[in-house]
Amino acid sequence: MKDPVSDTLFLPLIEELIDLPEQGQILFLRARLSDALMDLPREKFVCDQSFKPAHDILERAGFALNDGDGETYPLTLVLPPRQREEYRALLARAVLSTQAGGIVMAAVSNNEGAKTVENDLKALAGHVSSLSKNKCRVFWARLDDRRDADLIADWSQFDAPRTIENGRFASRPGLFAWDHLDAGSKLLVDNMPTNLKGKVADLGAGFGYLCDEVLTKNPAITHVDVIEAEKRALDMARQNLAAHGDRVSFHWADATKPLPDLYDAIITNPPFHITDRSDRHDVGKAFITSAAKALNSGGQLWLVANRHLPYEETLKVAFKSVNAIAENGYFKVFRAVGPKGKTKTYAELDDQ
């Protein structure tokens, strides 16, 4: 499995600049499977990954997954995310999770700010060593009394939940549009109907903005399944949607996979970035396919996407009717009705 950043992370071990610890396990924060990891003994690793697709890949490969909290380790590996407050909090967590004399090691792509993240680890630990390969950089620090305890304490709080939109929602750094209401989602909200009913799913629900709006404006909706692959976002959605009570269920799940039920309507603002800045058209297209399979014969999909994303053809392949309901210079809102290949159920025939 090709992952240049993750493969680069293991260079100091491969080149024997750092030894695998003889005693104790290795904590791997934001772990991802890679060819280099597959070559190492699985029993040595405790992997932490809040993104469900990456979590499931590691689990299928036989790696132990838990958050590692409450323990310290002789070696901690980190694949820092892009958002600055989030990755600084993760670096601080890595330092706090590592034994005195142990090593914290991280890797970042050069075009994602590797040198900046390296300097941040140096600020925490006092010194670093580094290597470059695959247009990436791996850097590490052996922890001693040069650690900056005050800075570690400050950075540990950087990704703590906080309120946004005058207290309407709780969010945290690193989530999609974490500190504001996304303009695409707002366009979808402004153009959705108020007569949706029955059971609904929100795919890639984030911290719960779309779900809150659709439940508030559609009293005939009986239930919404909130489906979100990033557990950090799902935790915020639970908090933000608590007032809706048992009208909402929460699923830590990959929406590109089969959905948990059959629905009368589905709403979504699909992600199109995963671990870097490159467009991932395949994710949004898979959301559309999953939605079509999980809607009843007259069900409807409401989707917003950046104008440049090539979703319209996928929608037309999957649905009998597709219309662009609204658009501006940046986004399009689509309404797709009647997934192809579905026949009406007896209950739907009785409603006619």
Side-chain angles (χ1 to χ4, degrees), residues 208-246:
Y209 166 56
L210 281 179
C211 184
D212 183 64
E213 290 280 0
V214 77
L215 280 168
T216 300
K217 295 178 179 179
N218 293 269
I221 289 176
T222 57
H223 197 84
V224 177
D225 278 345
V226 170
I227 297 169
E228 171 56 52
E230 176 50 62
K231 188 176 183 299
R232 299 173 72 251
L234 192 67
D235 290 343
M236 296 296 94
R238 290 180 191 276
Q239 182 173 336
N240 292 326
L241 299 169
H244 295 288
D246 60 7

Side-chain angles (χ1 to χ4, degrees), residues 269-273 279-288 303-317 322 332 334:
N269 181 355
F272 63 98
H273 299 302
D279 285 359
R280 288 288 305 273
H281 305 159
D282 59 311
V283 177
K285 290 176 179 178
F287 270 43
I288 293 167
L303 175 147
V304 66
N306 290 56
R307 289 179 59 90
H308 73 279
L309 295 172
Y311 294 159
E312 197 158 358
E313 187 59 37
T314 305
L315 287 165
K316 289 178 178 178
V317 168
V322 177
K332 274 188 175 184
F334 293 98

Side-chain angles (χ1 to χ4, degrees), residues 7 15 18-19 43 76 81 116 122 140 188 192 231 234 252 271 284 288 304 336 338:
D7 285 338
E15 298 188 4
I18 295 173
D19 295 327
E43 67 275 8
T76 300
T116 298
K122 183 177 181 180
W140 64 95
L188 178 56
M192 279 195 306
K231 188 176 183 299
L234 192 67
W252 184 38
I288 293 167
V304 66

